[in-house]
C-alpha cells in the first residue's frame, strides 16, 4: 500500500502476512525504541528499576491516556488483555446466581475465565447468540438488552470480536448498563490503533486494549482502564511491594498493579515513541485505506468461493472473517504457510470454520491476489 511504510516493518518479505490481528508486527523505529529502553535498563538496573521506573511509567501512561482519552491515573500497563481481564474477573465480588451477560462471539480465553469463575461462585455466564449475518445495530442492541434480568451484575463484550472480526456497537450498551447499575467490562483487545477509541465518550466501567496488535507496539504491551469508582476493588494477580505499601502513592490501583515482580517492562515505555510513529505517518488515514482494502478483499474471496458475507460493511474495520471448509484448521493454516507462503489464521467458531484476513499498512492488493490464487487452488 505504502512502500515506505512497508519497508519499516521487519516481516519476512518472502511471506504474505495476512494475520496482523493475532500478534501485531512492530516497525523498526518502535523496535529501536524498545532496544534503547532495554539498554538504558542494563546500564544501571538499580536506578532504572529501583526508582526511575515510576516516572517513566507515568510519562508513558500520560501519552497513552491522551491517545485513548482518559485520565492517566485510570490506566495501568499490563502484558496483555488476558492478564488484564483475569485481574478484573478474579477481583469482582461475584455471588451465587449473579449473571454475567455476554455474547457468543467472545475470545476463548475469556470464555474460559468466566466459566472458571462461574463454577467457583455459582454464577451464570450467559452468552447471547448474535446471529450471522449481522446487519443491523439496532437488532444487535435490542436482542442483547432483552437478556438483562434483575440478576445481571456484569455485561462483558468485545468491541471488536476475534473469531468473527466484527465491530460491536457497544456505546449504547455501556449507557444502558450505567442506567441499570450493571458493571460494563469491554474487551477492546483489537481496538487501539484500529478504530478510534475515546474512553471518556464510551464511558465503560472497565476496558482493556492491546497496544501490540493494531498500535504496532512491541509484544507484551496492553492496558487496563478502570473507572475511579471501582479502582479500589481491583486486586493484583501477584501480590508485591505495592500491596500494603510502605510508601503508598495517591493511587492504590497503581500501587497494586504497576509492580508485579522484577521484569523487563521496556515495552511499556515505548508508548510515547509508538504514538509518535503513528501520528507522524498519519495512521488514521492508513487505517481507512486498510479498511477499504479489507472490504474489497472480503468481497473478492466471497465471490471466488460463492459465499455470503457474515455482516454488513459497517461492522468491519481492518479484519474480516470468512466461512471456509476445513476438516483440520491447524493443518490448513500450516498448509497455507508451507505451500503458498501465506500466513493467515483458520478458526473454529461454534462448530463452523473460518479464515480471517487482517489488513495492515504493509499489505497491498498483490497479497490478496496471492490469497485468491491459493484459495482457488485449494477449493475450486
Ligand atoms: C478479542 C480478544 N480478547 C482478548 C485477547 C487476548 O489477548 P492476549 O492473548 O494478548 O492476552 C485476544 C487475542 O487475540 C482477542 O482477540
Amino acid at each position: 500500500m505504502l512502500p515506505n511504510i512497508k519497508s519499516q516493518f521487519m516481516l519476512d518479505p518472502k511471506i504474505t502476512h495476512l494475520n496482523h490481528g493475532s500478534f501485531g508486527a512492530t516497525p523498526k523505529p518502535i523496535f529501536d525504541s524498545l532496544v534503547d529502553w532495554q539498554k538504558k535498563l542494563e546500564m544501571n538496573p538499580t536506578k532504572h528499576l529501583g526508582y526511575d521506573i515510576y516516572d517513566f511509567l507515568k510519562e508513558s501512561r500520560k501519552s497513552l491516556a491522551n491517545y485513548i482519552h482518559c485520565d492517566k491515573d485510570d490506566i495501568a500497563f499490563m502484558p496483555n488483555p488476558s492478564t488484564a481481564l483475569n485481574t478484573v474477573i478474579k477481583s469482582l465480588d461475584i455471588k451465587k446466581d449473579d449473571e454475567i451477560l455476554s455474547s457468543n462471539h467472545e475470545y476463548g480465553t475469556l470464555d474460559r475465565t468466566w466459566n472458571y469463575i462461574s463454577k467457583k461462585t455459582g454464577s451464570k455466564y450467559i452468552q447471547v447468540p448474535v446471529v450471522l449475518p449481522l446487519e443491523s445495530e439496532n437488532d444487535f442492541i435490542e436482542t442483547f438488552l432483552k437478556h438483562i434480568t434483575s440478576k445481571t451484575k456484569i455485561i462483558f463484550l468485545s468491541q471488536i470480536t476475534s473469531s468473527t472480526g466484527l465491530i460491536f456497537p457497544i456505546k449504547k450498551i455501556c449507557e444502558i448498563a450505567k442506567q441499570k447499575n450493571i458493571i460494563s467490562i469491554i474487551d477492546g483487545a483489537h481496538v487501539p490503533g484500529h478504530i478510534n477509541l475515546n474512553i471518556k465518550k464510551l464511558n465503560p466501567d472497565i476496558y482493556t486494549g492491546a497496544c501490540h496488535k493494531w498500535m504496532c507496539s512491541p509484544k507484551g504491551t496492553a492496558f487496563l482502564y478502570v473507572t475511579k469508582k471501582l479502582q479500589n476493588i481491583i486486586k493484583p494477580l501477584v501480590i508485591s511491594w505495592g500491596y500494603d505499601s510502605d510508601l503508598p502513592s495517591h493511587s492504590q490501583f497503581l500501587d497494586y498493579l504497576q509492580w508485579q515482580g522484577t521484569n523487563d517492562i521496556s515495552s511499556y515505555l515505548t508508548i510515547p515513541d509508538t504514538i509518535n510513529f503513528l501520528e507522524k505517518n498519519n495512521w488514521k488515514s492508513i487505517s481507512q485505506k486498510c479498511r477499504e482494502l479489507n472490504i474489497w478483499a472480503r468481497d473478492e474471496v466471497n465471490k471466488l468461493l460463492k459465499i455470503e458475507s457474515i455482516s454488513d460493511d459497517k461492522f468491519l474495520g481492518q479484519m474480516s472473517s470468512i466461512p471456509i471448509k476445513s476438516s483440520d484448521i491447524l493443518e490448513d493454516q500450516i498448509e497455507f504457510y508451507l505451500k503458498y507462503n501465506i500466513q493467515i489464521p483458520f478458526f473454529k467458531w461454534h462448530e463452523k470454520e473460518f479464515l480471517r484476513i487482517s489488513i495492515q499498512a504493509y499489505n497491498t492488493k498483490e497479497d490478496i491476489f496471492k490469497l485468491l490464487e491459493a484459495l482457488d487452488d485449494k477449493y475450486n
Side-chain angles (χ1 to χ4, degrees):
M1 180 175 284
L2 291 162
N4 56 329
I5 291 285
K6 186 171 178 170
S7 68
Q8 308 220 30
F9 283 85
M10 296 179 284
L11 293 161
D12 183 344
K14 292 191 289 301
I15 302 165
T16 302
H17 296 272
L18 291 169
N19 187 22
H20 193 88
S22 287
F23 308 111
T26 303
K28 282 178 212 157
I30 300 177
F31 193 78
D32 288 345
S33 169
L34 172 71
V35 175
D36 286 347
W37 280 110
Q38 288 176 321
K39 283 183 184 159
K40 204 165 178 174
L41 188 166
E42 288 308 331
M43 280 170 69
N44 194 341
T46 313
K47 180 173 181 299
H48 187 92
L49 289 175
Y51 39 95
D52 281 356
I53 193 72
Y54 298 101
D55 281 340
F56 295 150
L57 285 169
K58 186 159 115 188
E59 277 311 300
S60 215
R61 281 190 284 108
K62 208 154 114 187
S63 165
L64 183 60
N66 191 36
Y67 185 70
I68 62 172
H69 306 279
C70 66
D71 184 330
K72 71 174 182 352
D73 290 348
D74 295 345
I75 47 174
F77 284 109
M78 291 272 139
N80 48 53
S82 303
T83 307
L85 288 167
N86 264 265
T87 303
V88 169
I89 294 167
K90 290 178 182 168
S91 295
L92 294 166
D93 181 24
I94 299 173
K95 299 205 166 65
K96 191 171 178 308
D97 297 330
D98 282 347
E99 290 177 359
I100 298 109
L101 194 58
S102 188
S103 85
N104 63 339
H105 291 239
E106 301 310 317
Y107 189 63
T109 296
L110 285 321
D111 284 338
R112 283 166 175 76
T113 313
W114 285 116
N115 285 335
Y116 164 86
I117 221 74
S118 297
K119 215 166 164 183
K120 220 172 148 180
T121 57
S123 56
K124 286 198 190 85
Y125 179 50
I126 298 166
Q127 294 179 271
V128 176
V130 177
V131 177
L132 300 178
L134 181 57
E135 276 164 356
S136 144
E137 290 195 352
N138 278 346
D139 287 355
F140 173 93
I141 293 165
E142 276 168 30
T143 309
F144 190 81
L145 296 180
K146 266 189 210 144
H147 289 77
I148 292 182
T149 71
S150 58
K151 293 180 181 161
T152 308
K153 180 166 177 129
I154 291 155
I155 286 177
F156 171 71
L157 274 178
S158 289
Q159 188 170 5
I160 301 181
T161 65
S162 175
S163 309
T164 46
L166 300 171
I167 303 171
F168 278 171
I170 55 148
K171 188 170 186 302
K172 183 85 190 153
I173 308 253
C174 288
E175 264 167 43
I176 291 173
K178 214 107 298 146
Q179 285 159 17
K180 293 186 180 287
N181 219 11
I182 296 169
I183 298 174
S184 57
I185 305 178
I186 303 300
D187 176 355
H190 284 279
V191 174
H194 186 166
I195 56 172
N196 189 42
L197 175 56
N198 188 322
I199 297 258
K200 206 168 162 186
K201 280 198 186 144
L202 210 54
N203 203 12
D205 288 316
I206 295 172
Y207 193 104
T208 185
C211 307
H212 52 235
K213 289 183 187 281
W214 296 94
M215 283 175 76
C216 302
S217 301
K219 313 292 167 279
T221 321
F223 67 88
L224 170 64
Y225 163 88
V226 179
T227 189
K228 288 200 194 308
K229 204 174 73 187
L230 294 181
Q231 284 176 8
N232 274 354
I233 67 167
I234 300 296
K235 294 174 203 81
L237 286 182
V238 176
I239 302 296
S240 189
W241 288 100
Y243 195 85
D244 284 340
S245 174
D246 296 331
L247 283 169
S249 75
H250 62 292
S251 164
Q252 175 184 295
F253 173 69
L254 293 175
D255 288 346
Y256 279 13
L257 299 182
Q258 289 209 122
W259 187 261
Q260 297 272 280
T262 305
N263 199 1
D264 178 358
I265 50 178
S266 303
S267 69
Y268 299 168
L269 309 182
T270 64
I271 287 293
D273 287 333
T274 296
I275 293 172
N276 189 27
F277 175 88
L278 299 180
E279 283 172 356
K280 218 168 70 189
N281 288 291
N282 198 3
W283 217 254
K284 280 193 180 135
S285 137
I286 288 182
S287 286
Q288 190 48 38
K289 290 193 180 110
C290 289
R291 178 175 184 270
E292 285 159 21
L293 181 57
N294 175 41
I295 291 172
W296 176 81
R298 180 213 48 185
D299 289 346
E300 289 300 308
V301 173
N302 282 351
K303 228 189 304 170
L304 177 77
L305 301 179
K306 300 180 186 65
I307 46 177
E308 297 297 318
S309 299
I310 64 163
S311 78
D312 187 90
D313 294 358
K314 64 174 168 282
F315 296 101
L316 292 184
Q318 292 173 234
M319 294 194 291
S320 47
S321 285
I322 293 165
I324 202 100
K325 284 194 206 88
S326 173
S327 51
D328 186 325
I329 46 167
L330 188 57
E331 204 170 90
D332 283 341
Q333 179 165 332
I334 293 172
E335 182 193 345
F336 263 65
Y337 173 49
L338 295 180
K339 188 167 172 192
Y340 307 111
N341 277 335
I342 299 174
Q343 278 293 10
I344 189 159
F346 284 66
F347 293 95
K348 206 171 179 106
W349 179 74
H350 299 285
E351 303 312 312
K352 291 193 188 83
E353 290 76 30
F354 292 81
L355 63 75
R356 189 185 69 193
I357 301 172
S358 288
I359 302 291
Q360 184 51 292
Y362 46 79
N363 291 118
T364 62
K365 272 194 176 178
E366 286 309 309
D367 297 330
I368 304 307
F369 289 136
K370 283 187 190 144
L371 175 66
L372 291 167
E373 239 174 73
L375 288 169
D376 198 23
D377 184 46
K378 185 168 168 69
Y379 290 106
N380 287 337

